[in-house]
Amino acid sequence: MTFLAPIGLLALLALPVIVFLHLLQARRRQTVVPSLLIWRQITPRPAARRRRRLRWTLLLLLHLLAALLIGLALAQPQIPLPWLGAARATAIVIDTSTSMALSEGGSARLERARQRAATLIAQMRGADQVALISAGPQARLIDRGGAAATARLLAALNQITIEGAGSDITGALTIAETFFLDQPGARLVWLTDGALPLPDLTTARIPLQIEVIGTTQPNRAVTTLAARPGNAGAVHVYARLVNHSNEPFRGPVRLLVDGQLSRSEPASIRPNAALELAWTLPGPAQQIRLELDGADGLPLDDVAMVNVTGQRPIKVVLVAADAPALARALQAMPEVTLITVDPANFAPDPTADLTVFVNTQPRRWLAGGMLLINPPAGGLLPINGTAPAGANLTLTPAGESLLRDVNLGGIAWGQIAVIDQPAWLTPLALSDGIPLILRGRFEQSDVAVWNFDLANNPLTTRLAFPLLVARTVRDLTPPPLPVAVTLGAPLVYQADIRATQLAVIDPAGNSATIALQPAIPATLEPTQAGVYRVQEWANERLLRETRIPVNAGALGEADPTPRFASATLGAALVAAPATRSDLPQPLWSWLLMTTIIVLFGEWLYTHRRPQPEAR
């Protein structure tokens, strides 16, 4: 026998205390006498000491037994009980890929998997252990515990939902081996519909029991939807539909533009074939939605949505007295809204995404993007005079990614300022060692500096100039977003540098808040198909709201037919022990139950025995 908490044995000190209290118990006999007068004539004498003898009564034994049981229970004893059978460690892996949402026989495949997992959890006895793992795009440990945690495991089981395309059974196997590899009788039960190819499981080090849930079922799905803007605001749309069935399919297809019905037409798809469709729609349009009446058990992949462009709108404030070439380059960018302000009338615009200063400097660094072109002395940047620019232009390692394809050679830059650059500014291009283009970040400001004058500069007549403008603007503002996301695929979201938090609102209307650090992206994990709304907040001010479509249709899961059957793999690698288990079993619960029975017996003995009559 072993004790998990040996200090609990100190409670056994109550045993001698109980014996001592029974020794002190008064045992006086009542006697009736005619008068007390005779007692006054008797000289008191010291009473003879008489050795008390302990009377072993049933009440004393019950008291001692109850104290003994409580003391042992507090020490949490464990003892090998071979007759209870071998303890078993079971990792239950539930496939949460999209095809598990298919309904057949009146219930979804995922629901049937949950029911089977609930049965396995309810079968735990003694020292059995269960680990609950979901195998969606990424394997995740949901919960683990023993028989005492059955209620908690069942509650966690009911929270498992469809997670998206793919089933990471290899990762689930790794998680299971982490906990149960060295435990005798360990096994992994994989509950899946088998709609994805069976991965290589020959390296499994614990037995793998595959239970395939589902049968051959027809399914129609939208596997591809793409849109791009065309000339004169037109929108070109392409879609690919599949029919995984032995029967031909004919059903309606609805095309919606920004929530309004644009087209509705029938689609005919041959058995086990695909259909490609293309439309040219009048614009402008922000979002395209395609609906297919698939008449199957998996309506989740009968709808697809896509944004026409992932570019975010950019509001640019140009602070310049005269910069026509720069203004034309900015206006040529379709996502840019340009506002020109005279330097004498400039006031910071908190709604601007980028502020461009030409031949002037602001009084303070503004939150958001800032581009300073030919900054004069006496501003935020310390300038120590000017110097003639050299003919040699060198890109630093930091400037390679931004300027690698921009041809800036052979340009006479003229006089350039000698900037005493702060530590947070990094040169991207050097002219004979003098910084020509710089980039940096200061608190909530993204800053770029062009240390040359645009007036009469041959750069403005080159094709490299609009390319340099576009790359700089997009480098100082948040990058474009994907036009659509596949359910379960993580999305790295780069928010505005001014944003302090994101509010993510799922298709069901539930909102979650993510705290942000400047320039550090957040990772979003969509768990529902539909449109997610992402709001960027700068404290109490809303900067922008973005809508991101999340689609459940995936080419690899459009066919829900099981590709393999139920099987047991790797049983010979780690066999369950044939002998009885010598794992210690906890006894404290049994001791407490026995204590309750003893105390109840004491109560019956105390209240039912006859009381002595007074004489």
Side-chain angles (χ1 to χ4, degrees), residues 141-159:
L141 175 66
I142 304 300
D143 201 355
R144 63 185 290 258
T150 298
R152 192 186 74 235
L153 289 169
L154 292 175
L157 177 65
N158 292 330
Q159 300 300 318

Side-chain angles (χ1 to χ4, degrees), residues 221-224 239-243 253 267 269 273-277 290 292:
V222 181
T223 58
T224 305
R240 180 182 175 88
L241 316 178
V242 296
N243 175 27
V253 173
I269 314 177
L275 174 66
E276 296 181 337
L277 300 173
L290 181 65
L292 169 67

Side-chain angles (χ1 to χ4, degrees), residues 550-591:
V550 177
N551 298 322
L555 185 61
E557 295 191 40
D559 185 2
T561 301
R563 305 189 185 186
F564 50 88
S566 300
T568 300
L569 305 177
L573 298 177
V574 183
T579 59
R580 291 178 176 176
S581 171
D582 58 354
L583 292 177
Q585 309 293 329
L587 296 180
W588 64 269
S589 58
W590 296 97
L591 292 173

